[in-house]
Amino acid sequence: MRRRLLFSTLAVAVTAVVLFGLPLAFVLTRLQINAAHQLVQRDATTVARTLQNRLHSGLPIDIADAASAARSLPDRFVSISQDGRRTRFGTRPRGVDTIAASATTRNFRVTVVADDSVASEGVTEALALTCSLALLAVGVAVALAILQARRLARPLQDLAGAADRLGSGDARPLGRRYGIAELDRVAEGLDGSAQRISDMLAAEREFASDASHQLRTPLTALSMRLEEMLAAADEPAVVREEGAAALVQTERLADVVSQLLGRTRSPAVGSRKRLSIDDVVAQQVVEWDPAFRRKNRKLEVTGDKNLRAYGRSGTLSQVIATLLDNAFVHGAGTVTMRTSQTPKSVVIEVRDEGKGVPAELVPRIFERNVSSKPGGTGLGLALARRIAVADGGNVVLVRPRPAVFAVFLPRKLSRGGDGPPVVAGPA
């Protein structure tokens, strides 16, 4: 690339020098020839006027002395005519190319003939000057071509390398600009593509981690139901009850999968409905009570009854299940779900009797990959809040010790239809 730029620039420079140098050399040559003719003409005029002035002044005519004025340059031949008499001085040039000039006064006619060497010397100097200027121009063009080739080749090599890295999956941005508008546009395009690829890869990784975490909760509940069925194999009524509960978990699992797939599509307008909070809470009690009983812990429900709010049953179940799972794993003692309402929201609190959230984690408890245990994923609360916000609600930490989390759901839809309503709750 650099060699091609160098050769192309050099070819342009040489062409320009030739197109400019040839006319210049021709013009300078003609100027030198014209100057030689003028010089010989001046000698002839000088001799003629000198002789005429001496004649008018009554001075003796010294033709030899007057002719010496034409010998300022070598190889002059002077012919002087007076009243039919002709006097010659010098030797006539024998070359074919000569320069002759004549001057006439009242009594004299002077002819001066000079060898063309008078013009040749000036032509040689003019050609030498033209060649020197041409070589200087070519040298400057070569230097500029090298600098320009380096200036253009290096950015193109960088852009080609960035494109190769991008094609191989390395989405690092180039992060460099060159002060050339076209190359900077290409660099910006590559950086934009690299950023989009990075975002896509990050979104895929995030989706994989979210999917694994969201599927874990219903799978855990399903496994607990199957264990209960095995433990109660001799009691048909219990088996039927646990089988029905396992079927509910299977349906919930399918709903979670649908929600995960729906994240790649636009949310359906009007998908939120007015829910019975008592039904969702009761379902969660049925699902989680066996797990708490096996750990000799209690799961209680208190608060207002017959509350209704707008949302999606599967989404609300997933959020409450995440809070219960968090209390089951990280908390201790009795876990209480308390329902209440504010003028704008229905509130479902989940509290336990454990040590609560460490002080250093309180500001970041809803951030991804933040967990109070070394083995935790740090995804549950972040996902719960994001799911709730997508349904127009919110999840907040009401009190860090003992931990009290609250889910806020809107009691009314906003004027925009299915847009996100305003919910009231602690900041």
Side-chain angles (χ1 to χ4, degrees), residues 210-270:
D210 292 355
S212 62
H213 188 278
Q214 288 185 257
L215 291 174
R216 186 189 65 181
T217 301
L219 287 175
T220 302
L222 181 59
S223 64
M224 290 189 300
R225 291 302 175 188
L226 294 177
E227 291 175 0
E228 292 289 335
M229 291 176 63
L230 292 175
D234 297 333
E235 302 179 19
V238 175
V239 171
R240 284 194 297 271
E241 180 182 353
E242 294 299 330
L247 182 59
V248 171
Q249 289 299 325
T250 303
E251 294 174 351
R252 181 181 162 196
L253 182 61
D255 186 54
V256 170
V257 173
S258 299
Q259 292 178 21
L260 290 173
L261 294 177
R263 287 176 53 180
T264 60
R265 308 183 182 95
S266 300
V269 178

Side-chain angles (χ1 to χ4, degrees), residues 10-26 130 133-135 137-138:
L10 185 59
V12 172
V14 171
T15 303
V17 167
V18 170
L19 294 177
F20 177 75
L22 291 179
L24 178 62
F26 176 77
T130 304
L133 292 176
L135 291 177
V138 171

Side-chain angles (χ1 to χ4, degrees), residues 39-125:
L39 181 61
V40 174
Q41 182 66 48
R42 186 189 65 183
D43 287 348
T45 302
T46 301
V47 173
R49 288 179 179 176
T50 301
L51 293 173
Q52 190 67 41
N53 290 336
R54 292 177 70 88
L55 180 62
H56 286 172
S57 301
L59 297 175
I61 303 299
D62 188 352
I63 296 178
D65 181 61
S68 64
R71 298 178 183 177
S72 57
L73 293 175
D75 301 329
R76 289 290 194 274
F77 172 76
V78 181
S79 176
I80 301 174
S81 297
Q82 181 185 11
D83 300 331
R85 294 178 298 171
R86 179 173 295 181
T87 305
R88 294 181 177 87
F89 294 91
T91 304
R92 178 181 289 273
R94 296 182 179 181
V96 177
D97 297 327
T98 59
I99 300 174
S102 299
T104 303
T105 60
R106 180 181 298 178
N107 302 104
F108 299 94
R109 177 178 175 81
V110 178
T111 301
V112 178
V113 181
D115 189 81
D116 64 347
S117 60
V118 176
S120 299
E121 294 177 359
V123 170
T124 302
E125 293 177 357

